[in-house]
Amino acid sequence: MNTRTTRTVATLGLMLIWLPAAAGAPDPESTGTASEQACLLQALAAADDALTVGELRLRCRPQEPGATESLIMQRLEREATAERVRSLLTAHRRNYLLPATYMDDPNDRPFRDSVGDALADDALKQVEAKFQLSLKLALASGLVTTRDRLYLGFTTQSYWQAYNTDISAPFRETNYEPELFWVTPLDGGPFDLDAGLLTLGFSHQSNGRGGTLSRSWNRLYANVAFEKDNLVVSLKPWWRIPERRKDDPLEAEGDDNPDIEKYLGHFEFNTIYRRWDHEFGLMLRNNLRSDNRGAVQLDWTFPLWGGLRGYAQYFNGYGESLIDYDARIERIGIGILLTDLL
């Protein structure tokens, strides 16, 4: 069977999948959700000629309770499919928009000594918008193992005083994090855990500002993740690359925040649990010092309508953003999820 015939058969098969849903009749084997249909279109664009419609549907079928197929491996397969299509970008971390978040005590301390900054006049509002965009690009594969990847990643996270019209609704803080990291799948883990991932990488994080508002640090990190029965657990330890201390905070070169490890510590622990079409997340950090500073973040992603997903987030602790690394922030927000983790 030639390429054109194969693609035609696959397209007809996809039409047979979608037409019952379009007519209001449920498909007996699939709910035909918008997210599954998008996955099918994406997989079809990059599919090998030998791939059958049934295999495409199996690849894109949502995870059901009690299913044994690895969530981590499902994501790796979707990413491998997307990487074959040049017009598609691959998500790295969650991508989301929280149009409304509430923080109990906005941190205006960094802005007080900033000459000419509108935020210096105790003008921060408790309600602001927060969003994150995170993408990655595969640079190479098969470097050490047959299934590994080398990625270039970039994440930007913004805090926007969108409703603070008194000071022209400025962006209060934006953090930028380029990364270079290597990933390889793991077939199993300790304590009877199933498939996992090992990641080794370099990260630079900065808020792109100068003077007394400048914040940045560089890290080498490892991240190991395993899963069991729809529960993924990961541990991410890091080592901060030392920088020269500044004699004057206005110097361009040197350490902007020499005490950041006292607040963010040396590791991050994450868990993700997927149930039906809901995803629940927990992030924990602690400095493991007598002053016991740390952070906790709770995440919940859920279906809204069509392919649109909702996202609720709660954060309490230190290091939510670089400008607030040494201030305790409590925030709750709700909005729209663009891409999930699993």
Side-chain angles (χ1 to χ4, degrees), residues 185-207:
L186 301 172
D187 292 326
F191 311 111
D192 199 30
L193 293 172
D194 295 329
L197 284 177
L198 171 64
T199 305
L200 304 174
F202 165 79
S203 163
H204 168 75
Q205 191 177 26
S206 170
N207 67 352

Side-chain angles (χ1 to χ4, degrees), residues 91-204:
H92 178 23
R93 302 174 185 170
R94 283 192 181 97
N95 288 273
Y96 61 82
L97 170 63
L98 304 179
T101 72
Y102 177 86
M103 50 181 171
D104 63 338
D105 186 17
N107 176 33
D108 64 350
R109 189 174 68 249
F111 307 101
R112 292 176 189 168
D113 299 326
S114 180
V115 178
D117 198 316
L119 297 176
D121 300 323
D122 196 25
L124 292 179
K125 301 294 186 183
Q126 292 175 303
V127 177
E128 66 179 4
K130 176 183 177 182
F131 63 86
Q132 177 170 289
L133 298 175
S134 184
L135 303 170
K136 64 184 178 183
L137 172 67
L139 301 177
S141 62
L143 298 177
V144 181
T145 71
T146 57
R147 297 181 294 168
D148 68 7
R149 292 282 196 282
L150 179 67
Y151 285 102
L152 179 66
F154 184 77
T155 301
T156 179
Q157 188 178 95
S158 293
Y159 302 80
W160 180 19
Q161 291 271 299
Y163 314 105
N164 199 343
T165 55
D166 295 339
I167 54 174
S168 194
F171 278 79
R172 179 177 64 86
E173 171 81 343
T174 297
N175 292 165
Y176 310 92
E177 187 174 5
E179 297 175 76
L180 181 67
F181 57 98
W182 174 83
V183 179
T184 188
L186 301 172
D187 292 326
F191 311 111
D192 199 30
L193 293 172
D194 295 329
L197 284 177
L198 171 64
T199 305
L200 304 174
F202 165 79
S203 163
H204 168 75

Side-chain angles (χ1 to χ4, degrees), residues 4-289:
R4 180 176 298 179
T5 303
T6 302
R7 293 295 170 87
T8 301
V9 171
T11 303
L12 290 172
L14 289 176
M15 291 176 63
L16 291 174
I17 295 171
W18 296 329
L19 283 174
D27 186 295
E29 297 185 4
S30 172
T31 58
T33 64
S35 59
E36 184 179 356
Q37 293 173 14
C39 175
L40 287 165
L41 277 175
Q42 177 179 306
L44 176 62
D48 297 327
D49 293 340
L51 196 65
T52 68
V53 173
E55 289 171 335
L56 285 173
R57 293 181 60 177
L58 182 61
R59 177 177 295 183
C60 294
R61 183 170 297 165
Q63 183 76 5
E64 299 292 341
T68 58
E69 188 176 0
S70 164
L71 295 175
I72 290 176
M73 293 307 169
Q74 285 184 58
R75 168 156 181 167
L76 292 179
E77 289 175 4
R78 292 196 302 269
E79 289 180 351
T81 299
E83 288 166 10
R84 298 190 188 103
V85 184
R86 293 184 179 181
S87 59
L88 295 179
L89 295 174
T90 305
H92 178 23
R93 302 174 185 170
R94 283 192 181 97
N95 288 273
Y96 61 82
L97 170 63
L98 304 179
T101 72
Y102 177 86
M103 50 181 171
D104 63 338
D105 186 17
N107 176 33
D108 64 350
R109 189 174 68 249
F111 307 101
R112 292 176 189 168
D113 299 326
S114 180
V115 178
D117 198 316
L119 297 176
D121 300 323
D122 196 25
L124 292 179
K125 301 294 186 183
Q126 292 175 303
V127 177
E128 66 179 4
K130 176 183 177 182
F131 63 86
Q132 177 170 289
L133 298 175
S134 184
L135 303 170
K136 64 184 178 183
L137 172 67
L139 301 177
S141 62
L143 298 177
V144 181
T145 71
T146 57
R147 297 181 294 168
D148 68 7
R149 292 282 196 282
L150 179 67
Y151 285 102
L152 179 66
F154 184 77
T155 301
T156 179
Q157 188 178 95
S158 293
Y159 302 80
W160 180 19
Q161 291 271 299
Y163 314 105
N164 199 343
T165 55
D166 295 339
I167 54 174
S168 194
F171 278 79
R172 179 177 64 86
E173 171 81 343
T174 297
N175 292 165
Y176 310 92
E177 187 174 5
E179 297 175 76
L180 181 67
F181 57 98
W182 174 83
V183 179
T184 188
L186 301 172
D187 292 326
F191 311 111
D192 199 30
L193 293 172
D194 295 329
L197 284 177
L198 171 64
T199 305
L200 304 174
F202 165 79
S203 163
H204 168 75
Q205 191 177 26
S206 170
N207 67 352
R209 300 200 189 196
T212 60
L213 295 179
S214 178
R215 305 284 188 273
S216 67
W217 64 333
N218 300 309
R219 292 176 289 171
L220 296 174
Y221 68 85
N223 189 22
V224 60
F226 292 101
E227 69 173 276
K228 186 70 175 179
D229 299 330
N230 291 350
L231 176 69
V232 177
V233 295
S234 71
L235 181 65
K236 180 183 178 181
W238 58 71
W239 175 73
R240 185 189 182 188
I241 299 175
E243 297 180 67
R244 180 183 64 83
R245 285 187 175 271
K246 288 185 177 183
D247 296 325
D248 184 339
L250 296 180
E251 288 184 47
E253 299 293 330
D255 198 342
D256 296 319
N257 29 252
D259 61 344
I260 192 170
E261 290 168 301
K262 294 181 180 179
Y263 298 90
L264 272 71
H266 300 273
F267 73 94
E268 185 174 284
F269 175 78
N270 282 275
T271 65
I272 304 167
Y273 179 68
R274 191 162 184 84
R275 175 74 176 178
W276 291 101
D277 206 12
H278 296 252
E279 191 170 289
F280 305 91
L282 167 67
M283 183 279 294
L284 296 172
R285 285 197 303 262
N286 195 278
N287 60 4
L288 298 181
R289 296 163 59 100

